[in-house]
Amino acid sequence: MKFVTVKQMVAVEQAADLAGHSYAAMMEQAGRGLAELVQARFGENKTLLALVGKGNNGGDALVAASFLQSRGWDCTALLVDRAPDLLVERAEQAGCTIANWDSIDPPAWASRRRDAGVLLDGLLGTGIHLPLRGPVQEALTFWKSQLPVPGAIVAVDCPSGVDCDSGDAAAETLPADLTVTMAAPKIGLFQFPAAGLVGDLEVVGIGLPSGLPEWGRIRRRILDASWVGGALPRRPADAHKGTFGTVAVVAGSENYVGAAMLAGMAAFRSGAGLVMMACPGNVYRLLAGHFPESTWLPLPDSGGALSPVGSTLLRLHLDRATAVLLGPGLGLADSTAQFVSDFLKEADRLPPLVVDADGLKLLARIPNWQERLPPDSVLTPHPGEMSVLTGLPTSEIQSSRLQVAEEWAGRWGVVVVLKGAHTLISAPDGETAMVPIASAALARAGTGDVLAGLVAGLRGQGMAAFEAAAAGAWVHGRAGLQALESLGSSAAVLAGDVLDSIGPVLGELEADS
């Protein structure tokens, strides 16, 4: 499934109209699809109150109300700043009650909301500018004051008052139980605070003509089990450990021993055949007996961190490595910074590289660091690490996550995994994927190390950089939800629980393939 910006959706609709699929036809299909979803989800109490604005979302709401009225529903359309038109006339002829916001007594109408099984929010669409003003602001303020009430709130395309690019939301916005978006979800619906107001998200078609170039050029997708399952490496019965690659995990320091182990175990859980742990000697002595599946390359340490002389030793042991993970738990000691700089001096001779955590902060200390990376490298920053790499404030990164991920992936020539709620994966060629998961279960130290190990493990099995990053991020998100379901509380989920849930998630994908 694709996702879009507002500008992209406008261009697609304009192109469809020019191709002969009129706006009226798009609205008819959208409104009927909306009605069918409302019927399927909330058909027990067949009463509907539609809040109808002057834009296309109001038109979609009127089409849906007309359709539902013909199916035996009792529908009322409350027009807010909308003059009577053919769609209003159609709804009235279908039997819907029509009223105007400027001619009703709102408190007297409160009982209509309480009696309605569905409040259909079709006041505002994707092209709004905040703050809200006028009759729409007054209407939303009033209906929000009536919450909570029985029944469901269904938003048409987006909850009214949401900026569908930035994710900003007016204080008056009604929180939806279900948002039915048209053709494709808009990026702002996945950014907070808007993401907290969307409820369940469903998509209905608008009948776009086949082969529409403007639609085909959109290279932004929402990941799902089908895509991930199809992208994962096959595992033939006659395989051996070499079939699935060797991942070198360069990780750990005296203060961050666990990060190395989580990353290495996640690489194994992804399906990698061999994992070589390249750690400072003090970390090796602490972990080796607890991780018998891996091989070990103890590296010289200095004050509990990596010594620069270890970079040469590491290079000598990468002849069979099919991927390298650099960063989890390395710390920020000057000796480690020199180790990383020395290690990256001959990038063209390195295996595929994934850089995470402290590795990213150490990378940022190297002048023109992007020129020192192997082709198709993967960086996995959280917003704070992205701030270190770009110099942008974290607040700016969070308010423009899509634009930041895409712009800097292109500038650096790497795959960027911008972690957080609804993680984004962007490739230098403009392809972007989103993991449609936001959960406090993943807001815990160590979960990023698990993600990095997953991505490196898939990369080491021969997956292309973008596909490995996208599939790894999706499996990681699903494992977080799996751990949450098992433990019953997001507060109780540890990184180890996410690690342990990778197997069940991969098992479900295999069963469905």
Side-chain angles (χ1 to χ4, degrees), residues 149 198 316 480:
V149 292
V198 169
L316 292 174

Side-chain angles (χ1 to χ4, degrees), residues 71-441:
R71 290 285 187 92
W73 283 59
D74 180 8
C75 299
T76 299
L78 180 59
L79 309 183
V80 181
D81 200 25
R82 185 184 184 107
D85 56 20
L86 291 176
L87 290 173
V88 173
E89 182 180 331
R90 171 182 168 179
E92 189 169 26
Q93 290 176 349
C96 299
T97 300
I98 306 295
N100 280 282
W101 170 254
D102 57 7
S103 62
I104 66 164
D105 176 25
W109 269 60
S111 62
R112 289 179 181 261
R113 171 65 190 100
R114 286 190 293 270
D115 293 340
V118 174
L119 177 68
L120 191 60
D121 172 14
L123 286 177
L124 294 171
T126 60
I128 68 158
H129 298 285
L130 298 177
L132 302 183
R133 297 180 177 84
V136 170
Q137 189 268 343
E138 295 168 6
L140 283 171
T141 298
F142 171 75
W143 291 111
K144 193 163 186 178
S145 73
Q146 303 303 304
L147 301 179
V149 292
I153 298 176
V154 177
V156 182
D157 211 12
C158 62
S160 293
V162 160
D163 184 316
C164 287
D165 276 335
S166 72
D168 291 337
E172 302 88 350
T173 300
L174 298 173
D177 299 290
L178 170 67
T179 296
V180 180
T181 195
M182 310 310 173
K186 287 67 186 175
I187 180 59
L189 301 182
F190 298 97
Q191 296 184 185
F192 287 89
L197 299 167
V198 169
D200 295 338
L201 183 65
E202 296 280 358
V203 180
V204 297
I206 58 174
L208 294 177
S210 177
L212 194 68
E214 286 75 9
W215 180 253
R217 283 196 290 266
I218 295 171
R219 302 184 65 202
R220 295 165 172 159
R221 73 163 58 244
I222 297 173
L223 296 171
D224 58 20
S226 177
W227 186 92
V228 174
L232 290 175
R234 303 302 91 179
R235 299 186 68 82
D238 61 348
H240 54 83
K241 61 186 178 183
T243 305
F244 302 117
T246 297
V247 180
V249 177
V250 188
S253 60
E254 186 174 53
N255 293 330
Y256 304 106
V257 175
M261 185 146 176
L262 287 166
M265 294 187 76
F268 258 136
R269 292 286 191 195
S270 76
L274 292 138
V275 174
M276 180 182 73
M277 300 296 294
C279 299
N282 57 335
V283 174
Y284 160 72
R285 290 187 288 274
L286 286 169
L287 287 185
H290 301 283
F291 194 3
E293 296 89 349
S294 72
T295 61
W296 292 86
L297 177 62
L299 297 173
D301 59 271
S302 172
L306 285 171
S307 168
V309 297
S311 65
T312 301
L313 178 60
L314 175 59
R315 281 180 169 278
L316 292 174
H317 286 80
L318 292 181
D319 55 315
R320 291 195 300 170
T322 52
V324 174
L325 170 58
L326 176 69
L330 285 181
L332 301 176
D334 289 342
S335 63
T336 307
Q338 189 61 53
F339 170 96
V340 171
S341 180
D342 291 347
F343 178 65
L344 295 175
K345 280 183 177 177
E346 298 180 61
D348 58 337
R349 299 179 62 182
L350 291 177
L353 182 65
V354 177
V355 187
D356 180 54
D358 292 334
L360 296 166
K361 295 177 182 177
L362 296 172
L363 201 64
R365 297 185 188 180
I366 302 172
N368 300 316
W369 57 263
Q370 60 272 20
E371 299 174 7
R372 305 270 294 274
L373 298 178
D376 300 318
S377 291
V378 179
L379 309 186
T380 60
H382 59 54
E385 292 158 349
M386 195 68 175
S387 177
V388 172
L389 289 168
T390 63
L392 299 173
T394 303
S395 58
E396 183 177 337
I397 291 169
Q398 286 295 76
S399 66
S400 306
R401 286 173 56 82
L402 177 65
Q403 292 80 1
V404 167
E406 292 184 339
E407 176 184 348
W408 291 90
R411 282 199 195 189
W412 295 332
V414 301
V415 174
V416 171
V417 180
L418 183 55
K419 297 185 290 194
H422 305 117
T423 290
L424 291 164
I425 305 95
S426 290
D429 66 359
E431 188 169 7
T432 296
M434 178 196 298
V435 179
I437 294 172
S439 173

